[in-house]
Amino acid sequence: MFDFSGTLFRIEPCERWLAGALAAEGFEADDVDIAKYAGELERVGAQPGGVMPDAPPADLAELWESRDLTAERHRAAYTALSRSAGLPWDVHDALYERHRTPAAWQPYPDTAQVLARLHERGVPVAVVSNIGWDLRPIFRVHGVADHVDAFVLSYEHEVQKPDPRLFRVALDALGITGADVREAVMVGDSPAADGGAAALGCRVLLVDPLPVERRPDALLPVLDLPGGKEGAH
């Protein structure tokens, strides 16, 4: 099982995210303003998959904690944070739409290799993500969808990590039951969220959600785990 954001894929830099949304809406802005307001968006944690807020505004606390349970909550939480950044342009919906596009995401350098090798070995793979939208098109456009057997997305089940029920959905989708659960591995970047798989007896492997150019091969150790070897199920 793999997490999505910060594990298999990384969101684009915040300045490029903002510039893309501005261009889509027909706004003109110079590099200085883009850098300035991208910094504000990062400060408040408004970019999904980007820097997390230290603490959301008090009036958004409940919405923030449950943002991945439904598509509506996810959009409302992130557009509210972008509105708190003081942007001089009304591009909050455009920013949200931008982050859902394949152009906004880049796979880590070893993502395709690891997923392909596991697929070749007959090792079933699920993507388990706290998210408010369908990420399957991201995998299709980047050419790795055929290497994933199941997508288990929090908003589709109204359950979010670290709740063990979401991992149980993934294990069931992969046909992993009983003692075989001990051979399952959850690969993610969040001890708090992805570590929830340990409650079911799964092993947990954590990677650092660095920019793609700074993390070329952190996923490769998965191929040497017992669950990642040829013929393992």
Side-chain angles (χ1 to χ4, degrees):
M1 297 180 288
F2 290 90
D3 174 51
F4 167 57
S5 175
T7 301
L8 294 175
F9 284 78
R10 171 83 179 195
I11 192 68
E12 65 186 339
C14 198
E15 288 186 28
R16 194 167 76 195
W17 178 54
L18 175 56
L22 290 171
E25 294 297 293
F27 289 108
E28 294 185 0
D30 59 33
D31 292 343
V32 174
D33 278 347
I34 289 174
K36 172 185 175 181
Y37 289 107
E40 288 301 299
L41 288 166
E42 286 190 325
R43 181 184 63 80
V44 301
Q47 185 185 32
V51 177
M52 295 282 283
D54 291 333
D59 61 332
L60 294 179
E62 188 279 330
L63 178 62
W64 177 254
E65 288 302 315
S66 62
R67 66 192 181 280
D68 297 312
L69 291 177
T70 69
E72 294 77 16
R73 282 180 167 272
H74 194 269
R75 177 184 283 272
Y78 280 106
T79 54
L81 286 177
S82 70
R83 287 187 171 89
S84 74
L87 304 185
W89 317 279
D90 183 8
V91 290
H92 311 292
D93 287 326
L95 284 168
Y96 190 82
E97 292 304 320
R98 167 81 186 181
H99 104 275
R100 300 199 304 173
T101 64
W105 295 90
Q106 185 176 357
Y108 281 96
D110 51 353
T111 291
Q113 177 185 351
V114 169
L115 293 180
R117 191 72 59 83
L118 293 174
H119 182 72
E120 291 167 1
R121 294 175 179 179
V123 179
V125 168
V127 172
V128 186
S129 178
N130 279 352
I131 201 164
W133 48 276
D134 186 5
L135 53 75
R136 294 172 183 87
I138 309 294
F139 283 73
R140 287 196 293 269
V141 168
H142 287 282
V144 292
D146 290 343
H147 303 326
V148 178
D149 299 281
F151 289 91
V152 179
L153 312 180
S154 60
Y155 84 102
E156 293 183 340
H157 300 277
E158 296 191 16
V159 178
Q160 61 188 29
K161 297 181 291 186
D163 193 320
R165 290 179 295 171
L166 197 65
F167 301 105
R168 182 71 265 171
V169 171
L171 293 170
D172 289 346
L174 299 179
I176 299 173
T177 60
D180 288 343
V181 169
R182 293 195 297 271
E183 298 301 313
V185 182
M186 178 64 207
V187 184
D189 68 295
S190 170
D194 301 308
L200 297 178
C202 302
R203 289 168 295 167
V204 178
L205 175 66
L206 295 173
V207 295
D208 198 338
L210 296 169
V212 291
E213 65 273 11
R214 293 173 53 197
R215 212 198 76 189
D217 55 10
L219 296 173
L220 294 182
V222 172
L223 300 176
D224 294 324
L225 294 172
K229 292 180 179 178
E230 189 168 1
H233 293 285

